[in-house]
């Protein structure tokens, strides 16, 4: 039978991060010694105190459907966290728990966007934003930034990108893939512009909030005039190393939260019960309990930056959060390496996979064709070996 798939799925790209991770896994199964620096996933185990709470949840028979928007006591723990860390007051009817922040983002797109609504994405942006927006029939509007401005969008760039069709702005800070962190002052600058355009909503993806080497995290919803129009997205995948437990959440105006719950109720129902119970424990713990991971990420950032600086042709910013470096590799374009023409970042990422056995991700997937993304959520030995191999191959 011929391909009868919908236009919707035919137009959707495969997630480049997941595709590269799958390719690395496949090559490893063939016996190749691949170092995987493609997936944005902490290499730490879930801290024991969180695991214990997951085990207890199983023994306590948390095995039935949970409320679609999440257990009330989890939503209370999220509200307390928002107050404690972000100075944001959300009532329980403003919080929705989902199957990872990825679903939180997809919910928001599906309930907020109409066909042709424009969504401003400062580029580089996280790989799935653009496809999630397109899936909801929105139109992504990329605003390119460069290493010269630390990959951050300026207020003037935001102003210039706004049209009568602009419905939303989506961004992450700390940013995946650039590691850039917007200061409170910088967010105020963007908020000033948005004040002149009261119909634009903001999705503030703060999933890397705690992996921030710069100091205090700033939430745009806490800035004057932004609370009602911001959807704050967060989750436990990154700071608590709970990627596989699939818990994310939003804080938003109650009418948006209600719509997300309605949508989620028709496609997935409540998120996994055990993960929700463990998330209460994770969020109620003081941040000091996970500080050792944040400290390690910072050490590794310094390590990888130092090592990559010895490679000619890699231009680097200093990422202040998350666990990625995003070197500009455009100086290799137009060259040939071991008989392989390198015309773009995808060629270089593929060359590094084949000739250095190191998996990275092309910047094209993140809206920046000059860069590649390297995750340093890996051991120091892996980082050292990977950079040595990259250097040799180049
Ligand atoms: N936003 C950003 C910026 C991310 O890097 C990720 C990582 N996958 C997500 C959202 C989604 O996270 P998850 O679905 O695991 O909660
Ligand atoms: N957020 C991670 C990344 O950017 C995980 C992969 C994914 O969910 O796409 O690599």
């Amino acid at each position: 039978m011929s391909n009868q798939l919908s236009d919707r799925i035919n137009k959707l790209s495969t997630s480049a991060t997941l595709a590269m991770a799958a390719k690395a896994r496949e090559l490893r199964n063939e016996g190749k010694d691949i170092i995987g620096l493609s997936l944005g996933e902490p290499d730490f185990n879930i801290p024991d105190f969180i695991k214990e709470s997951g085990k207890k949840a199983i023994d306590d028979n948390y095995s039935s459907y949970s409320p679609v928007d999440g257990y009330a006591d989890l939503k209370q723990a999220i509200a307390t966290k928002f107050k404690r860390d972000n100075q944001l007051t959300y009532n329980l009817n403003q919080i929705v728990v989902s199957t990872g922040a990825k679903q939180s983002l997809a919910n928001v797109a599906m309930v907020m966007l109409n066909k042709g609504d424009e969504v401003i994405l400062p580029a580089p942006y996280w790989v799935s934003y653009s496809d999630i927006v397109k899936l909801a029939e929105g139109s992504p509007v990329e605003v390119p930034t460069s290493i010269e401005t630390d990959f951050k969008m300026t207020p003037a760039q935001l102003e210039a990108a706004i049209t009568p069709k602009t419905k939303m702005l989506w961004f992450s800070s700390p940013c995946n893939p650039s590691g850039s962190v917007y200061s409170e002052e910088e967010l105020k600058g963007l908020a000033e512009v948005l004040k002149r355009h009261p119909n634009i909503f903001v999705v503030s993806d703060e999933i890397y909030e705690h992996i921030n080497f710069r100091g205090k995290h700033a939430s745009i919803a806490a800035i004057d005039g932004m609370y009602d129009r911001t959807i704050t997205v967060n989750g436990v995948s990154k700071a608590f190393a709970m990627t596989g437990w699939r818990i994310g959440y939003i804080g938003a105006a109650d009418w948006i939260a209600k719509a997300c719950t309605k949508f989620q109720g028709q496609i997935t129902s409540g998120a996994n019960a055990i993960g929700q119970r463990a998330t209460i424990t994770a969020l109620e713990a003081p941040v000091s309990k996970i500080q050792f991971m944040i400290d390690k990420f910072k050490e590794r950032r310094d390590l990888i930056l130092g090592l990559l600086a010895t490679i000619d042709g890699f231009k680097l910013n200093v990422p202040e959060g998350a666990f990625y470096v995003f070197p500009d590799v455009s100086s290799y374009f137009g060259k040939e390496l071991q008989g392989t023409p390198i015309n773009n970042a995808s060629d270089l990422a593929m060359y590094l996979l084949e000739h250095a056995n190191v998996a990275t991700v092309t910047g094209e997937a993140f809206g920046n064709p000059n860069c590649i993304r390297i995750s340093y959520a890996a051991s120091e030995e892996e980082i050292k070996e990977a950079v040595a191999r990259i250097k040799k191959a180049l």
Side-chain angles (χ1 to χ4, degrees):
M1 207 184 237
S2 60
N3 182 341
Q4 299 289 316
L5 294 172
S6 66
D7 295 345
R8 190 180 307 115
I9 193 68
N10 283 332
K11 276 194 257 164
L12 192 74
S13 324
T14 299
S15 161
T17 47
L18 300 183
M20 197 54 151
K23 175 117 188 121
R25 226 173 276 138
E26 193 184 298
L27 291 172
R28 240 179 248 130
N29 288 342
E30 286 170 14
K32 286 209 171 144
D33 166 29
I34 303 290
I35 303 180
L37 303 184
S38 57
L39 198 58
E41 164 155 75
D43 58 319
F44 295 104
N45 291 322
I46 298 180
D48 285 344
F49 73 99
I50 302 175
K51 280 191 204 165
E52 286 310 319
S53 139
K55 288 179 201 167
K56 182 168 183 312
I58 295 175
D59 289 338
D60 289 349
N61 295 310
Y62 278 97
S63 47
S64 321
Y65 288 128
S66 65
V68 173
D69 51 344
Y71 289 116
D73 51 351
L74 170 56
K75 295 207 300 171
Q76 185 54 59
I78 293 169
T80 306
K81 174 254 166 302
F82 271 133
K83 189 99 196 116
R84 178 192 71 184
D85 298 339
N86 313 104
Q87 295 73 54
L88 291 170
T89 305
Y90 288 116
N91 302 322
L92 299 204
N93 58 0
Q94 294 180 273
I95 292 169
V96 182
V97 179
S98 300
T99 302
K102 203 179 249 182
Q103 186 184 21
S104 302
L105 291 161
N107 285 348
V108 170
M110 294 304 276
V111 309
M112 293 295 288
L113 297 176
N114 282 317
K115 195 175 175 131
D117 282 346
E118 290 180 357
V119 178
I120 295 178
L121 304 180
Y125 48 78
W126 180 49
V127 65
S128 294
Y129 290 173
S130 127
D131 277 284
I132 289 175
V133 165
K134 285 192 228 159
L135 204 53
E137 299 191 280
S139 302
V141 174
E142 297 185 15
V143 176
T145 67
S146 70
I147 198 162
E148 281 72 30
T149 54
D150 191 23
F151 297 112
K152 286 185 225 170
M153 178 173 68
T154 63
Q157 283 181 301
L158 173 60
E159 182 75 69
I162 291 172
T163 76
K165 286 191 171 165
T166 306
K167 177 80 179 263
M168 306 185 93
L169 157 68
W170 284 31
F171 76 107
S172 62
S173 175
C175 173
N176 178 1
S178 67
S180 304
V181 176
Y182 283 86
S183 67
E184 190 179 349
E185 277 317 299
E186 287 164 335
L187 293 177
K188 279 185 180 159
L190 299 178
E192 268 315 302
V193 173
L194 293 169
K195 268 185 206 160
R196 295 194 283 277
H197 303 276
N199 297 327
I200 299 177
F201 291 84
V202 176
V203 165
S204 176
D205 181 345
E206 304 182 15
I207 196 159
Y208 294 95
E209 166 184 22
H210 294 303
I211 308 171
N212 172 354
F213 319 130
R214 175 188 175 116
K216 180 133 178 50
H217 170 79
S219 294
I220 194 164
I223 291 171
D224 234 15
M226 294 307 298
Y227 177 78
D228 285 337
R229 43 206 295 215
T230 300
I231 296 115
T232 306
V233 178
N234 211 323
V236 289
S237 284
K238 310 297 171 175
F240 299 95
M242 290 170 70
T243 47
W245 292 45
R246 309 304 306 124
I247 302 293
Y249 55 88
I250 59 162
D254 53 1
W255 57 274
I256 298 176
K258 202 168 157 198
C260 288
T261 304
K262 178 163 119 183
F263 179 68
Q264 185 165 298
Q266 290 289 20
I267 58 161
T268 55
S269 307
N272 114 61
I274 314 301
Q276 288 195 56
R277 304 312 300 167
T279 297
I280 299 178
T281 305
L283 295 182
E284 285 181 346
V287 178
S288 57
K289 285 248 198 184
I290 51 164
Q291 190 61 40
F292 71 99
M293 293 191 270
I294 301 162
D295 293 344
K296 263 278 170 249
F297 285 133
K298 183 163 186 290
E299 272 173 44
R300 293 165 179 184
R301 177 203 64 175
D302 294 341
L303 173 71
I304 199 165
L305 279 181
L307 294 171
L308 288 175
T310 68
I311 300 182
D312 283 343
F314 271 35
K315 228 162 84 182
L316 289 148
N317 67 321
V318 177
E320 293 186 298
F323 35 64
Y324 310 101
V325 285
F326 198 59
D328 182 316
V329 295
S330 56
S331 69
Y332 290 96
F333 300 171
K335 294 189 177 155
E336 217 172 78
L337 296 169
Q338 300 192 44
T340 310
I342 307 293
N343 289 319
N344 50 49
S346 302
D347 289 347
L348 193 80
M350 212 34 87
Y351 174 81
L352 292 179
L353 183 63
E354 279 162 15
H355 294 267
N357 283 352
V358 177
T360 60
V361 188
T362 172
E364 273 168 61
F366 304 90
N368 186 319
N370 290 332
C371 299
I372 58 170
R373 189 190 77 173
I374 306 176
S375 162
Y376 58 83
S379 70
E380 278 157 36
E381 293 67 41
E382 282 177 307
I383 291 171
K384 283 183 193 158
E385 173 64 16
V387 179
R389 289 187 194 178
I390 292 175
K391 193 168 173 175
K392 188 156 172 255
L394 294 175

